[in-house]
Amino acid sequence: LLITPEWVGHTVGVFAAIECKSDNWAININNKHVAAQARFIDLVTRNGGFAGFAQSVSEARRILRLG
């Protein structure tokens, strides 16, 4: 990616991470895999990215701020 002078100071990309889960999934922070996924989601969002657990397309769109 080459940032040319007219793009300096603008957001040209945002990292996104969505953990897709089934409809009947429930968060269990005692599960080591879920805990690791939650930590990664926190890392992404603390650094300006979009991340979260999604159980539907509408939830994924909400995480990505697409409506």
Side-chain angles (χ1 to χ4, degrees):
L1 177 66
L2 174 64
I3 306 299
T4 55
E6 65 270 16
W7 287 102
V8 173
H10 295 275
T11 301
V12 294
V14 177
F15 188 83
I18 298 176
E19 286 292 340
C20 299
K21 303 297 183 186
S22 65
D23 290 339
N24 61 350
W25 178 81
I27 193 163
N28 176 359
I29 208 67
N30 294 320
N31 178 297
K32 67 179 181 177
H33 294 103
V34 172
Q37 292 168 343
R39 286 192 305 273
F40 183 72
I41 287 169
D42 184 54
L43 175 71
V44 171
T45 57
R46 280 187 290 117
N47 287 284
F50 303 150
F53 293 104
Q55 292 175 275
S56 66
V57 172
S58 62
E59 286 183 359
R61 291 181 59 82
R62 179 188 50 77
I63 292 165
L64 297 173
R65 300 178 185 168
L66 297 174

